[in-house]
Structure formats: structure tokens, C-alpha cells
């Protein structure tokens, strides 16, 4: 049976690597990006006709509603939902907390996927199968770094949503899980000072930050049939820097 993957933030380093790892003949990927769909061109060439791209601003409730409507009209029901997007981490003291930016990130990370799950999970429940996967952060495990309140708050909301959905939909054969990497060296760190990146690597028991190739295999497993009895899990991928 072919899978239908709905992947938000698919243009990220993790998103493109995940598609390349999991996509099989006959599968469909509904891929959301924002102003950077050209990053999916190599994948579209590699898997002709399998990847359907959409430029959607997830901070806009109206655009998310249109996106959901288009999926319902043009594609089969998703069997897998993967939610990856977030605004880059901004290191700022709490006295400088930017409420407007925080609400933008909440719309991108949380409210958009609430709408998507609300639209598709009840239908997936009727089909009695499905996988839902989020990317969280090791910052929510134990003591977070200083000056990351906005990011930690948004990611903590994701963690609460995962647990709630896992409990509600387990009876229908749907699993809902998270991976929680430590600092991962991707384009996401473009605006992070090198000193912070280097300090994170030095503090890690393995002596380096996470890489895409460390994280994607775990994601692929949680999306697989072999992970059918695993739900409500936040899986640390940290090299030992954060342990639950």
C-alpha cells in the first residue's frame, strides 16, 4: 500500500533528507515550504510525479485553511503527517522578550499543525492507521540554555500536543511521536554565532553537535510500520547531552 506523506517544512535540510530516505515507488509527498521550493527541485527530478509542492505561509490561518482545502481536493488522505517548521532560535534575555515574534512562531509551529491535525486525524482514525511526527528540541529536556524562553515555550507546546494526541488516537492505530535533537548543524543555524555553535559541540559528550544523518534515521523508524506500538514518545537525539 502506498503512503501519502504530508510534510510541512519539507524544504529544510531535515525535510529533504527525510524524503530521500523514506520515499518509495508509488508514494506521494505533499511538501510545504515558504519561498524556497527550489530546494525541492533535485528531489522532484529524482522522484518524478511523486512530490507535490505548495508555497504556504504557515503563520497565516487563512493560507493554512486554503492549503488544507487543496489537499482534500487534489490528493488522497495523508497516511503520515510530519511537522518540521520553526523560526530560528533568537538568544535574548527575557526582559527583551519579543511578543510579536513569539506569536508568529507559535502560529508557524503550533497553530498551523493544530489546524492540519484537526482536519485530517479524524479521517485517519476512520482508516485506523497513521503516523504523526514532530521535531522538538533537547532544550525541553532538563535545564534549557539561558535566553531561549520563546523557543522553549513554543517547543513545549508541541510536546504537550504530542502527548494529548497520542492518548486520544492510539485506539485507532495512529502513533504520535517527537524527535528531540540537540543543536543540529543545518542551515537553521545560519544566524547563530559561531561561538555558541562551537561551545555546544564542546559541551557534548561526543564532542560534536548533531547532524542531519543522526536524526533522519530515527525519524524514518518512528514513521515505519515497525514502530506501530510506540506512541507519545519524545526521543532525545543528543549524543548524551540531554538524557530523559
Amino acid at each position: 500500500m502506498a503512503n501519502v506523506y504530508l510534510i510541512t517544512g519539507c524544504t529544510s535540510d531535515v525535510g529533504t533528507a527525510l524524503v530521500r530516505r523514506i520515499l518509495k515507488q508509488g508514494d506521494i509527498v505533499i511538501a510545504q515550504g515558504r519561498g524556497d521550493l527550489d530546494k525541492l527541485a533535485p528531489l522532484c527530478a529524482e522522484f518524478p510525479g511523486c512530490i507535490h509542492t505548495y508555497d504556504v505561509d504557515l503563520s497565516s490561518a487563512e493560507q493554512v485553511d486554503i492549503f488544507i482545502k487543496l489537499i482534500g481536493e487534489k490528493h488522497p488522505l495523508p497516511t503520515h503527517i510530519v511537522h518540521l517548521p520553526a523560526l530560528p532560535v533568537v538568544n535574548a534575555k527575557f526582559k527583551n522578550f519579543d511578543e510579536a515574534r513569539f506569536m508568529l512562531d507559535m502560529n508557524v509551529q503550533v497553530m498551523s499543525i493544530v489546524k492540519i491535525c484537526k482536519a485530517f486525524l479524524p479521517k485517519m482514525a476512520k482508516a485506523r492507521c497513521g503516523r504523526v511526527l514532530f521535531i522538538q528540541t533537547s532544550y525541553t529536556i532538563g535545564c534549557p540554555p539561558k535566553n531561549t524562553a520563546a523557543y522553549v515555550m513554543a517547543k513545549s507546546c508541541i510536546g504537550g500536543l504530542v502527548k494529548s494526541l497520542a492518548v486520544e488516537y492510539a485506539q485507532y492505530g495512529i502513533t504520535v511521536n517527537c524527535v528531540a535533537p540537540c543543536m543540529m548543524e543545518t542551515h537553521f543555524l545560519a544566524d547563530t554565532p559561531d561561538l555558541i555553535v562551537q561551545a555546544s559541540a564542546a559541551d557534548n559528550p561526543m564532542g560534536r553537535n548533531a547532524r542531519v544523518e543522526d536524526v533522519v534515521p530515527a525519524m524514518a523508524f518512528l514513521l515505519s510500520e515497525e514502530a506501530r506500538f510506540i506512541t507519545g514518545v519524545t526521543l532525545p537525539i543528543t549524543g548524551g547531552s540531554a538524557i530523559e
Side-chain angles (χ1 to χ4, degrees), residues 26-174:
D27 290 347
I28 293 172
V29 173
I30 304 163
Q32 178 273 336
R34 175 59 176 158
D36 56 357
L37 293 179
D38 57 302
K39 292 179 180 178
L40 297 176
L43 281 174
C44 292
E46 187 176 342
F47 301 99
C50 296
I51 300 171
H52 305 266
T53 60
Y54 292 86
D55 194 318
V56 182
D57 179 1
L58 294 181
S59 71
S60 165
E62 293 78 12
Q63 287 200 31
V64 174
D65 287 338
I66 292 169
F67 181 43
I68 290 168
K69 186 172 184 290
L70 286 173
I71 294 170
E73 291 173 350
K74 295 187 174 184
H75 302 290
L77 177 69
T79 57
H80 296 65
I81 297 174
V82 183
H83 186 61
L84 304 175
L87 298 190
V89 181
V90 173
N91 287 271
K93 293 182 181 297
F94 189 73
K95 67 180 181 181
N96 299 320
F97 191 95
D98 186 336
E99 291 93 341
R101 190 180 189 279
F102 172 69
M103 291 310 301
L104 182 67
D105 200 19
M106 283 290 289
N107 286 335
V108 169
Q109 287 205 57
V110 181
M111 297 312 300
S112 66
I113 196 61
V114 167
K115 280 180 170 287
I116 289 168
C117 286
K118 189 176 177 183
F120 296 118
L121 278 181
K123 297 174 183 177
M124 291 167 67
K126 289 183 179 179
R128 304 196 74 81
C129 66
R131 300 282 181 271
V132 182
L133 183 65
F134 296 80
I135 192 163
Q136 208 182 25
T137 173
S138 66
Y139 289 5
T140 61
I141 302 169
C143 182
K146 293 179 181 179
N147 306 328
T148 58
Y151 188 70
V152 171
M153 287 165 66
K155 286 298 187 185
S156 295
C157 286
I158 290 292
L161 179 61
V162 165
K163 291 179 181 179
S164 298
L165 293 178
V167 170
E168 185 167 346
Y169 283 94
Q171 62 184 313
Y172 303 109
I174 296 172

Side-chain angles (χ1 to χ4, degrees), residues 5 7 13-25 27 29 43 46-47 212-224:
Y5 296 94
I7 305 179
D13 293 347
V14 171
T16 55
L18 180 65
V19 170
R20 185 165 278 113
R21 184 178 182 96
I22 64 178
L23 193 59
K24 296 182 175 61
Q25 184 66 35
D27 290 347
V29 173
L43 281 174
E46 187 176 342
F47 301 99
V212 170
E213 57 266 32
D214 298 318
V215 177
V216 165
M219 297 174 70
F221 171 68
L222 290 172
L223 291 169
S224 72

Side-chain angles (χ1 to χ4, degrees), residues 189-223:
L189 294 182
D191 297 325
T192 302
D194 285 342
L195 283 175
I196 293 177
V197 176
Q198 293 168 12
S200 172
D203 287 342
N204 191 288
M206 290 195 178
R208 65 173 176 85
N209 293 315
R211 300 169 184 151
V212 170
E213 57 266 32
D214 298 318
V215 177
V216 165
M219 297 174 70
F221 171 68
L222 290 172
L223 291 169

